[in-house]
Amino acid sequence: MNLAAVADFFENFRTDRLIEQLNAWNVGDLHSNPWFIGTFVVMVLISYVIGWRAVSAIITGFGGFIITISLTLAKGTGTEGLEGGGLYIIVIGGAVAVMLFIYLLFIKTE
């Protein structure tokens, strides 16, 4: 494996290509999809009631970031996202997801 192959591999992770792929997967519509939100809530509740606190925290963290990314993509990326509040959504949503993850995993005790 040479340096050119490594550079070609990391070319796939450019921001514009990631945004194009997320838009192709319709990630921007997940925050308004009742099936996604319902499944997410049921998975969190079931894992929390069973007593799997770590699994519940991981599902909450991943789901929070997915919803945050979905809301950000719905607002738009680039300069139109900045004007529409996309930057605030990703920063505040990410902070809330991380704080909830840390609370459920490390602070919440019985």
Side-chain angles (χ1 to χ4, degrees):
M1 198 162 174
N2 57 13
L3 189 59
V6 172
D8 287 338
F9 174 73
F10 283 114
E11 187 71 22
N12 294 325
F13 296 105
R14 287 186 8 208
T15 305
D16 57 342
R17 289 195 180 171
L18 287 174
I19 297 298
E20 288 173 7
Q21 188 61 44
L22 289 174
N23 285 329
W25 289 340
N26 294 324
V27 173
D29 298 334
L30 287 178
H31 69 279
S32 60
N33 186 345
W35 287 104
F36 174 75
I37 295 174
T39 304
F40 169 65
V41 169
V42 166
M43 285 175 38
V44 169
L45 289 176
I46 288 174
S47 64
Y48 193 78
V49 168
I50 290 176
W52 297 343
R53 305 290 189 245
V55 174
S56 177
I58 290 169
I59 293 171
T60 303
F62 282 139
F65 277 120
I66 290 170
I67 290 174
T68 301
I69 290 171
S70 174
L71 286 169
T72 304
L73 286 176
K75 287 286 186 180
T77 57
T79 56
E80 67 272 2
L82 293 176
E83 294 170 358
L87 179 65
Y88 298 123
I89 291 173
I90 194 76
V91 170
I92 294 171
V96 167
V98 167
M99 286 188 293
L100 190 58
F101 173 75
I102 289 172
Y103 174 75
L104 287 174
L105 192 59
F106 299 113
I107 298 173
K108 176 90 171 129
T109 59
E110 302 249 358

